[in-house]
Amino acid sequence: MSLFKPLPIFSGAMVQSFMASFKSKSDKRYGHSVAGKWRSVKTKDGTTLLAKIHDVVNPKGLVVLVHGWEGSIHSSYIIRTAKYFLQKGFSVYRLNLRDHGDTHHLNEGIFNGSLLPETYEAVRELVKSSDSKGPVYLAGFSLGGNFVLRMAGRHSLSKAADQIPRLKHCFAFSPALDPKRATIKMDEHPFLRKYFLNSWKSSLVKKANLFPHLYSFHDLDDYQSVMDLTEKMVKEFSHFSSVDEYFDSYTLNELFFKSVRIPTTILTSMDDPVIPWKEFAEIPPSSYLEVVIESKGGHCGFIEDWNRSSYYWKLMEKKMG
C-alpha cells in the first residue's frame, strides 16, 4: 500500500525528479539568508572538505545532509530539507563532497565515488565539534545516499573511538546501489545523459584551470556518454586497474547490507529514471534496515504538493520522534 500520494499533476517521474532539483527564487533567498557558519574539515590524509553548519539553541538533535553527484549543499532538495528541520528545532549541517559546491580548489585530487574514508572522517569530525549533544541523523540523496549507506556500514564495523558519536539513524533516498547499472541507465536517457555529462565536464574544466600542471582535459568533447568519460578518468587518473574494479569499490551488495548494524531507512521509487528499483527488493531482510519502495517519486523527488513538501521528511520524522 503506497503511502506517497502526489498531486496527479506532479505524478510523472521526470516531473518529480525536476521539481526535486529545481532551484526556485525562494530556495536561493533562503540559502543565502539562513544563519550559518562555514567550517572546513581537514582529514588525516590532508583532504579538506567544506561544510555549512546551522546550529540552533537547545536542538532536538543534529541532521547531517549529503548531496548527490554534481549537486552541492546549495541543491534545492538540500536547502528545502535543511529549512524544514531547522524549523522543527534540529541543528543541520550540510557537507560538500570533494569537488562539489565550488570546492575544486581545496584538493589536488579529483573526486570519485570511492572516496568514503575522507567523507566518513569529515562527518565524524563535524559531529564531534558540534555543541549539540543530542542524537545524530545522517541523510543522503542519490550518490550521497550511497555514501550514507557506506558510512552506516563503516560505523557498524568500527571500534567505539572511530564511530560517529551519537549516531541514531541513517536515511538514504534514491541511493545508487549498483553504480555501474545506474550509469548505464543514465546514459540510456538522453536528457539525463546530457545533463550529467555536461555538469561533469564543467567540473573537470574547473579542476584543470586550477591545477594546470596536473590536468589537461582538451579532449572532453570526444566523450559522448557518462560511461565513456568514466572509463577515461579511471584509466588516466585513478589507482583502479579497470572501470569494473572502480565501480565494485562502491557497489552495495548482499554481504554489505548484512554488515549494517545501525537503524537505516532506504527510500526509492519504481519509476526512478536512474536507479533500477528491483535491486532494492533483493536487499536481505534485517532488523536494522527498512526498505521503502514506492510506485512513484522519480529520482530524489517524492514531492507531495505545490509547496514541494517532501514525503521523505515524514519518514525521517517518524524515526526522529
Side-chain angles (χ1 to χ4, degrees):
M1 185 72 180
S2 177
L3 296 176
F4 170 56
K5 305 290 186 187
L7 292 174
I9 195 172
F10 297 149
S11 63
M14 288 305 294
V15 173
Q16 283 284 324
S17 306
F18 173 77
M19 288 185 68
S21 298
F22 171 69
K23 203 176 292 182
S24 68
K25 288 181 179 178
S26 62
D27 291 340
K28 292 174 184 175
R29 273 198 305 271
Y30 184 82
H32 288 303
S33 65
V34 62
K37 298 176 184 174
W38 290 102
R39 182 169 294 169
S40 63
V41 184
K42 196 152 193 136
T43 63
K44 292 189 186 79
D45 69 356
T47 301
T48 299
L49 297 184
L50 188 65
K52 191 76 177 281
I53 65 172
H54 308 275
D55 285 312
V56 301
V57 179
N58 299 320
K60 295 177 182 176
L62 170 61
V63 180
V64 181
L65 302 176
V66 185
H67 61 81
W69 184 47
E70 293 304 327
S72 76
I73 66 168
H74 302 297
S75 292
S76 174
Y77 52 87
I78 296 286
I79 291 286
R80 289 181 294 105
T81 302
K83 180 179 182 180
Y84 183 83
F85 284 102
L86 284 169
Q87 290 175 341
K88 292 288 182 176
F90 291 86
S91 292
V92 177
Y93 290 8
R94 299 179 285 151
L95 176 67
N96 273 315
L97 298 171
R98 184 197 291 212
D99 289 352
H100 290 73
D102 291 327
T103 63
H104 300 73
H105 61 290
L106 295 178
N107 305 285
E108 287 189 350
I110 293 175
F111 172 80
N112 69 66
S114 75
L115 299 177
L116 176 65
E118 66 187 41
T119 311
Y120 180 86
E121 192 179 336
V123 168
R124 198 163 63 87
E125 292 306 309
L126 285 170
V127 171
K128 284 169 68 176
S129 69
S130 170
D131 292 334
S132 170
K133 300 307 173 199
V136 173
Y137 306 93
L138 301 187
F141 302 79
S142 194
L143 181 57
N146 174 289
F147 270 90
V148 164
L149 290 174
R150 282 183 288 153
M151 283 191 265
R154 174 162 289 213
H155 173 91
S156 300
L157 297 173
S158 295
K159 57 187 181 183
D162 295 330
Q163 290 186 324
I164 297 168
R166 306 181 308 284
L167 180 61
K168 185 178 180 185
H169 205 106
C170 294
F171 301 92
F173 305 123
S174 305
L177 305 188
D178 185 328
K180 183 178 181 181
R181 275 195 217 165
T183 302
I184 291 169
K185 196 167 181 184
M186 188 188 301
D187 276 335
E188 288 171 350
H189 197 293
F191 174 80
L192 294 175
R193 180 181 67 243
K194 184 176 181 181
Y195 172 80
F196 281 105
L197 194 58
N198 288 345
S199 296
W200 191 12
K201 287 178 179 179
S202 296
S203 176
L204 292 174
V205 169
K206 285 181 186 176
K207 198 76 176 184
N209 289 338
L210 288 161
F211 300 101
H213 57 298
L214 296 176
Y215 307 112
S216 173
F217 296 120
H218 59 278
D219 61 344
L220 286 181
D221 288 343
D222 296 343
Y223 296 87
Q224 299 303 312
S225 73
V226 177
M227 185 63 80
D228 286 347
L229 188 51
T230 301
E231 289 175 350
K232 168 194 168 65
M233 298 304 296
V234 168
K235 182 179 178 182
E236 297 181 20
F237 300 103
S238 85
H239 65 276
F240 297 104
S241 61
S242 68
V243 73
D244 282 339
E245 184 187 346
Y246 165 62
F247 281 129
D248 285 346
S249 72
Y250 65 113
T251 295
L252 308 181
N253 55 25
E254 184 175 329
L255 192 61
F256 164 80
F257 284 109
K258 287 180 177 177
S259 74
V260 174
R261 294 286 185 273
I262 186 81
T264 299
T265 298
I266 301 169
L267 172 67
T268 193
S269 67
M270 290 182 177
D271 66 353
D272 191 315
V274 182
I275 312 295
W277 72 269
K278 288 185 179 176
E279 298 169 4
F280 296 84
E282 296 165 3
I283 294 174
S286 163
S287 59
Y288 293 98
L289 297 173
E290 177 187 31
V291 181
V292 181
I293 304 173
E294 293 288 348
S295 59
K296 296 185 179 298
H299 186 66
C300 295
F302 305 98
I303 304 293
E304 292 185 313
D305 54 35
W306 289 102
N307 295 321
R308 290 196 294 164
S309 302
S310 292
Y311 168 66
Y312 49 76
W313 298 341
K314 293 178 183 175
L315 289 185
M316 292 175 71
E317 282 190 287
K318 272 188 195 173
K319 307 299 178 181
M320 297 160 72

